[in-house]
Amino acid sequence: MLDSYYARSIGARKSYIIPSLAALTMCYIFGSVYITDMVTHLQIGSILIMGIVTITAATVLDVASDGWLITLVDKKYLPEATTLSSIGVHLGIFLSFNLLIPFNSVSFCNDHIYSTP
């Protein structure tokens, strides 16, 4: 069903990748601004809608990017395509948890990044 409707000018896979990334970006920007108010005022419906849109966009993005990977890779390397995709996902998770999250810690930044005069 995913390949039934697409814009011929940009291709089948990118027709779903670009709007999915746009939806994720809008959800994250909207969430970064309003999530505290939504939780404080118990706006469960808004949080639920934002979560459903985020999960749906991420799922469509995952399926479309896997399909795009299969079309980009030569036929002789197709068995390695899923391995490459899995390595990319796990590398992203590793980098986000071990590189980006510590930068949000004040004590980590004071100990390892900033120097005291």
Side-chain angles (χ1 to χ4, degrees):
M1 181 179 153
L2 191 62
D3 289 336
S4 299
Y5 307 102
Y6 62 92
R8 292 185 191 267
S9 60
I10 60 174
R13 309 300 182 202
K14 287 185 259 181
S15 294
Y16 292 96
I17 291 173
I18 293 169
S20 296
L21 286 173
L24 282 171
T25 302
M26 287 187 283
C27 280
Y28 292 151
I29 290 172
F30 178 80
S32 70
V33 173
Y34 295 109
I35 194 70
T36 304
D37 291 335
M38 287 191 287
V39 171
T40 305
H41 294 63
L42 296 174
Q43 296 175 344
I44 303 301
S46 299
I47 296 170
L48 180 66
I49 290 171
M50 192 172 69
I52 289 172
V53 170
T54 301
I55 295 298
T56 303
T59 303
V60 170
L61 179 64
D62 184 44
V63 170
S65 62
D66 286 346
W68 194 23
L69 177 68
I70 289 172
T71 58
L72 289 176
V73 174
D74 290 335
K75 292 214 183 267
K76 65 180 180 177
Y77 296 117
L78 273 180
E80 288 88 6
T82 55
T83 305
L84 292 173
S85 178
S86 178
I87 288 171
V89 167
H90 288 93
L91 185 63
I93 291 170
F94 174 78
L95 290 175
S96 67
F97 279 107
N98 294 311
L99 183 67
L100 298 177
I101 290 179
F103 287 138
N104 287 321
S105 169
V106 174
S107 62
F108 176 84
C109 289
N110 286 337
D111 292 343
H112 300 289
I113 297 174
Y114 302 122
S115 63
T116 55

